Structure formats: C-alpha cells, structure tokens
Amino acid sequence: MYFCPMNKPAKKHRQFTLYLAMYGTTLLLLLLLGEGMARLAGYRGWTQAVVEIQLAGNARFFIPDPVYGYAVQPGRFQVTEKKQMAFTVTHDAAARRITAAIDPAQDSLKKPEIWIFGCSFTHGWGVSDEESWPWRVQAAFPGYRVVNFAVSGYGVLHARLQLAAALQQYPPSLVILAYAGFHDQRNTANRFWMKTLSTFHVLGEYSYPYARWQEGKLVQSMKPIGYRGLPGMRTSALMHLLDDLRNQAEDHRLGSHAVSERLIREIADASHAAGAGFLLAGITQEPATRDMLARFSPQPTVDISVDLTDPALSFLPLDPHPNAAAHRRYAAGIEAALRDLGY
C-alpha cells in the first residue's frame, strides 16, 4: 500500500485561511462591541446639519477676503434663521455693524473712539442693530464713537489683523476684545472648528486664516473652509467617536489656548504702543475664558458672561446665541468696567 503524505503548501494555506477567519471574526466582534459602546455613550453617525439662513432678496451677506478669509458686505440685511428667528443687520460703508442711527452730522464730529472686536456674540447675530451690546455701549457713552469690528465666525487672529489695518489710519482711545474660550480652536483653525464651519453653507468656498506654533513662533497661514472626516463616520457611531478623539489629540498638540494668549498679548501691546487703552472682556462662561482673564490680571479685564443655557438669555432651543436680554447684560458689564476705568 502506497502512503501519500499531505501536501505541505496546501496545509499551510488552510491554516492561513483559518487564522484569517479567526482574526476577521474577532475584529468584527470588536468593531460591533465598539459601535455599541459608542452608541451607549450618546454617539451616532455624524450628520452634517446645514444651518438654514435666508436673506431677503437673496442678498449676499459674506464675501471672500484675501486677509480675513471672508468679510461682511456694507448694506442693510433682513436675516431669517430656520424660518423662525428674524432680525435686521446694518453694516456701514466700512462694513462694520452700526452702533447708532446713521447721521451724517454726527459722523462728521471728531470724537475719541472705542473699538470693539469679537465674534457673532459681539456682532450681534440674532438681534437687530439697536439690541446689540455695542449699540447700547454707544448710547451710554455719547462722547465717544463706538466702532463694532466684530464678525460672525471670527477669532482673536482676525481681531489682531483688523486692529493692525485700522491703526494704519489713526488710533482709538480704547480697544475692547470680547474673548470666548471657543475662539481658541478658531485661532488655529483646528479640525473641530473646520467641522463646525462646514455646516455654514452661507460661507461658500471661502478660506480661513490661522496661526500655529513653529519653532516657538506663531506663523500665520490660510486654508480653505472644509472638512474631511474618517471614512464611515456618517453612518458609524464608532468612527464618529474616533474622529472626535483624533480632533482632541490635534487640539492638544496645537496648543490653541496658548496661541490665543499670545495673540491677545500682541493686541494689547499694539494698543498700548498706539497710545490706546486695552480691555479684555470674557463673554462666555467657560474654563478657558476664566483662565484667560486670570492670565491677564492685573491688566484691565471684565467678566460679562451670562448663562446661555438659560432660555431667557438665548434663542434656545432654536439657536445658542445670546438674545436681546443677554446683550443688555453684556452692555451693563462693559459700561460698569468703563466707568471704573474713567471713561
């Protein structure tokens, strides 16, 4: 009887196939377990919810800008968000939101100026012109001209760039920077912020300036607005979670809070060099905001933040922005700080 030994290559192939099936099954089970745990933690596949904003007459609110990435246009705009929140926005000829009724006679008067920089909380997204807190500050200080440089979506880097351009014309009496902890991610244009910006279709194919550390120095650059997440994150809670963890790691690596501090110090230094005062105003109740105010003490700072989880102070559940009541509180806080400073 002739004995035929097993073909060794065939045996190895079957073993490889068996191991591959075992490892594949184990990986599948781990992925299913991870998916379940991510869903128990509250994660779902990422839905790119587009913010619904309508402008009367299909007007164009934002335009591309080579320095700021995008800017607002001069003019009067009737804005409606999600078909429920309606307000009026007026930008003057310099594309800054007005802080008083347009009056050529008053505009021709030479008055010391107070320049205010910030984001949508200061520009006044959601409220009409006369409800915004810079308007109310102007009403409280008629001997000054209050200029609102704020634009929705801007960060501290934008404020530094705006201030540098404005100082080429003349200096103000005072510079106020309304800072929020969430500006940190804007200043480095990290993945978290790009993910948020990608939901605003009104910005179109625009760009965004950012600053990052390079050999101990801040280097400024520009990137197109857009977001590319991990594959499968739109359907998988686990991939969405992993995408967020990736974003957290990037934010830690970028040192966004330290970038904000450096930018604010540059704004304060430029203000003082021009002979102007500088006031740092904390506008949100965040640990990062409180920490930044503490870092700048004993320089003039003021905490004007309110509890925006309170529907009486915001547009929740429709929109998280501060409403007219919150703007009155902001203005009161700024007015008190300015009185203490002798304005």
Side-chain angles (χ1 to χ4, degrees):
M1 180 175 178
Y2 179 73
F3 176 73
C4 180
M6 181 180 291
N7 186 287
K8 291 184 177 181
K11 181 179 179 181
K12 289 183 178 180
H13 178 73
R14 284 195 294 272
Q15 289 178 336
F16 175 76
T17 303
L18 178 61
Y19 289 146
L20 187 63
M22 291 173 57
Y23 289 136
T25 302
T26 302
L27 178 61
L28 178 60
L29 290 174
L30 289 174
L31 288 174
L32 290 174
L33 178 62
E35 182 72 16
M37 294 179 67
R39 290 183 178 275
L40 285 175
Y43 271 83
R44 297 294 184 270
W46 180 54
T47 301
Q48 190 176 13
V50 176
V51 178
E52 300 176 14
I53 298 173
Q54 292 82 38
L55 296 168
N58 293 318
R60 196 178 184 190
F61 196 86
F62 297 105
I63 56 173
D65 187 276
V67 177
Y68 310 118
Y70 66 90
V72 294
Q73 289 213 94
R76 186 175 178 85
F77 303 88
Q78 301 292 335
V79 186
T80 304
E81 182 178 335
K82 299 178 182 177
K83 300 179 181 181
Q84 299 180 57
M85 196 171 81
F87 53 100
T88 302
V89 176
T90 308
H91 299 139
D92 63 18
R96 295 163 188 157
R97 191 165 194 184
I98 62 172
T99 59
I102 297 177
D103 183 349
Q106 285 292 320
D107 292 343
S108 65
L109 298 177
K110 297 294 184 181
K111 296 181 179 180
E113 296 189 358
I114 296 174
W115 293 354
I116 303 176
F117 299 86
C119 63
S120 56
F121 284 25
T122 300
H123 176 268
W125 186 262
V127 300
S128 292
D129 298 327
E130 67 279 3
E131 297 173 317
S132 66
W133 70 263
W135 179 293
R136 294 181 178 279
V137 171
Q138 175 66 86
F141 294 89
Y144 292 84
R145 178 172 289 110
V146 175
V147 183
N148 186 354
F149 285 83
V151 174
S152 295
Y154 275 19
V156 182
L157 176 58
H158 287 92
R160 193 196 70 178
L161 295 171
Q162 289 175 303
L163 178 63
L167 285 177
Q168 292 181 7
Q169 304 300 317
Y170 55 86
S173 176
L174 176 69
V175 170
I176 300 176
L177 175 65
Y179 166 78
F182 58 73
H183 291 166
D184 293 351
Q185 59 184 235
R186 299 182 179 189
N187 298 325
T188 56
N190 67 11
R191 289 177 55 81
F192 274 127
W193 180 232
M194 289 294 104
K195 192 174 185 178
T196 299
L197 270 185
S198 67
T199 67
F200 289 87
H201 71 283
V202 292
L203 291 179
E205 301 296 325
Y206 296 167
S207 298
Y208 203 85
Y210 64 93
R212 295 185 179 180
W213 297 110
Q214 186 173 313
E215 297 180 356
K217 298 180 179 180
L218 282 186
V219 177
Q220 183 185 324
S221 190
M222 186 87 73
K223 67 191 306 184
I225 293 175
Y227 186 75
R228 179 176 294 179
L230 292 179
M233 63 176 286
R234 293 180 181 271
T235 55
S236 168
L238 176 60
M239 296 308 293
H240 188 192
L241 170 60
L242 293 176
D243 188 73
D244 271 2
L245 292 175
R246 174 189 180 186
N247 295 353
Q248 290 175 18
E250 183 210 43
D251 185 55
H252 179 74
R253 176 177 57 82
L254 293 177
S256 300
H257 193 56
V259 170
S260 293
E261 181 182 2
R262 174 67 67 83
L263 291 170
I264 295 172
R265 294 197 183 280
E266 291 179 358
I267 291 173
D269 291 345
S271 301
H272 295 149
F278 175 74
L279 174 64
L280 178 63
I283 202 168
T284 55
Q285 294 184 348
E286 299 175 87
T289 305
R290 291 191 293 269
D291 176 76
M292 193 65 76
L293 292 176
R295 290 179 184 226
F296 277 81
S297 180
Q299 294 188 52
T301 63
V302 60
D303 185 349
I304 62 172
S305 64
V306 299
D307 182 7
L308 291 177
T309 63
D310 182 353
L313 296 171
S314 70
F315 293 102
L316 289 175
L318 185 67
D319 183 284
H321 279 89
N323 62 18
H327 277 264
R328 287 194 294 270
R329 297 265 293 272
Y330 293 153
I334 292 294
E335 181 181 354
L338 296 189
R339 300 294 185 198
D340 288 343
L341 293 172
Y343 287 89

